[in-house]
Amino acid sequence: MARRIQKNRSLLLGALPLSLAVSLPTLGATYGAGIENSQWYLTESVFECSLVHEVPGYGKAVFRHRAGESLTFFLESASPLMKPGRGMLIVEAPAWRPGVAPTPVGTVDVSDSNRPVSLNARQSRQLVQGLLEGMRPTVTRESWYNGQPVRVQVSNVNFGGQFRQYQTCSGNLLPVNYDQIQRSRIPFTSGGASLSSSDRQLLDNIVRYVQADTTVERIFVDGHTDRSGSRIDNRALSEKRANVVADYLKAQGISEDLIIVRAHGDQYPASRRPSENRRTTIRLQREGERPEFQQANGYGGDSAG
């Protein structure tokens, strides 16, 4: 057994950069589920799909896929076991598959938050591929307390079945999430008040989201202009721009009771560039969210809508 441990340690050190390898005098602490207690859990909705894996003694390993975004991965732990800095991510064979060399994925940033390791879409997909091939992704980083390495292993046992269900979930996700469409902007040409195909696509995404999220209680639609016309003409044009957006939302099935239309003319410029002031903004408000009070002057941003 001691010989096997030493062999595994040699494989790990061979995959690490020299600056990390020379600083790992012993195996340190290793956290990971075995065959008997490796479980994956899928939580699914049209807003998000998450695959959660319990890592005994450490916390959780989570694949997360939000609507409108790519798959990501993070480790979550209530206690900061890893020292902030650069750690190493490899995909290695589990103990019951001796002789298979580990594959380095690269370095990872380790923070002092309760999610010390977060991976981008490319690295997350590499982890998925390794798990599907029966391998075990492992993050290694120096301990906060004694300088020895902390190894967090992600088990492939019971992953495949849950991942197939995740794929079905991800295929049913909405095209956007709340953060992406909470504040949206429709630009207009000088004097114009018509919607382009890209404008309609944006509004269609807003409609799909609002119809799925029953906590959205208000949709503020605010029309604006540049300062090229008279105040009276600009006020009328901004109302026309707001109404063309509101009418489209209603035609696609959004209740009129949700929509609040406001017209501001050239009163609240968003920029010194006229083209950026010819706009209608759409802001969603959920239950429990306090309306924002913004200064309605200068070039700092939009009005309250």
Side-chain angles (χ1 to χ4, degrees):
M1 182 67 178
R3 186 175 300 173
R4 180 178 295 177
I5 291 175
Q6 181 60 37
K7 180 180 180 181
N8 289 342
R9 179 173 184 268
S10 298
L11 289 172
L12 171 63
L13 295 181
L16 292 171
L18 181 60
S19 60
L20 285 175
V22 297
S23 66
L24 306 182
T26 67
L27 283 177
T30 298
Y31 301 90
I35 296 177
E36 72 287 349
N37 63 347
S38 176
Q39 296 294 329
W40 287 88
Y41 305 95
L42 174 67
T43 59
E44 52 187 321
S45 71
V46 295
F47 306 107
E48 181 177 314
C49 309
S50 294
L51 275 171
V52 182
H53 174 58
E54 298 288 342
V55 182
Y58 178 81
K60 298 177 181 178
V62 181
F63 287 100
R64 185 188 190 197
H65 191 167
R66 295 185 70 199
E69 299 180 4
S70 299
L71 179 69
T72 59
F73 172 87
F74 61 86
L75 293 178
E76 187 172 276
S77 177
S79 302
L81 300 180
M82 295 180 178
K83 185 177 181 180
R86 298 186 74 186
M88 189 67 190
L89 174 62
I90 64 172
V91 175
E92 60 183 357
W96 54 89
R97 293 180 60 188
V100 180
T103 302
V105 176
T107 58
V108 294
D109 292 327
V110 178
S111 71
D112 60 355
S113 70
N114 66 337
R115 292 184 180 178
V117 175
S118 297
L119 304 184
N120 59 32
R122 180 185 63 82
Q123 291 176 318
S124 299
R125 289 192 295 268
Q126 286 179 284
L127 263 61
V128 166
Q129 187 60 38
L131 289 165
L132 293 175
E133 292 173 356
M135 302 292 278
R136 181 172 59 190
T138 301
V139 176
T140 302
R141 173 59 187 162
E142 180 182 347
S143 166
W144 257 113
Y145 306 103
N146 57 15
Q148 295 181 0
V150 171
R151 303 178 76 233
V152 179
Q153 300 173 333
V154 182
S155 172
N156 68 292
V157 178
N158 297 316
F159 176 77
Q162 292 296 317
F163 183 73
R164 285 190 292 273
Q165 294 185 43
Y166 152 78
Q167 289 177 304
T168 300
C169 175
S170 65
N172 294 323
L173 287 171
L174 294 170
V176 291
N177 61 57
Y178 186 69
D179 294 338
Q180 292 172 331
I181 49 90
Q182 180 187 11
R183 289 180 175 274
S184 303
R185 177 180 177 275
I186 301 291
F188 292 97
T189 59
S190 180
S194 59
L195 299 175
S196 67
S197 59
S198 60
D199 297 334
R200 287 190 289 271
Q201 181 177 355
L202 170 60
L203 295 175
D204 287 342
N205 287 340
I206 293 174
V207 169
R208 287 189 62 184
Y209 184 87
V210 172
Q211 290 176 334
D213 187 349
T214 57
T215 67
V216 175
E217 63 178 6
R218 292 285 186 276
I219 303 175
F220 295 94
V221 179
D222 291 85
H224 301 269
T225 69
D226 59 26
R227 291 179 171 171
S228 60
S230 69
R231 283 290 175 90
I232 295 176
D233 290 342
N234 286 342
R235 176 66 172 72
L237 179 58
S238 68
E239 184 175 11
K240 187 177 181 180
R241 287 172 174 171
N243 281 329
V244 74
V245 170
D247 290 344
Y248 186 89
L249 294 175
K250 288 183 282 188
Q252 302 310 306
I254 297 297
S255 170
E256 185 174 357
D257 294 338
L258 289 180
I259 301 173
I260 297 177
V261 177
R262 299 179 293 193
H264 305 285
D266 57 16
Q267 189 174 2
Y268 304 125
S271 169
R272 296 181 185 276
R273 291 188 286 272
S275 61
E276 295 185 7
N277 295 325
R278 300 189 290 265
R279 71 206 190 275
T280 290
T281 60
I282 305 102
R283 178 169 64 85
L284 308 186
Q285 181 179 300
R286 282 171 163 168
E287 295 174 2
E289 290 181 342
R290 296 184 60 186
E292 297 180 8
F293 296 95
Q294 300 183 17
Q295 268 206 308
N297 52 24
Y299 297 94
D302 283 342
S303 70

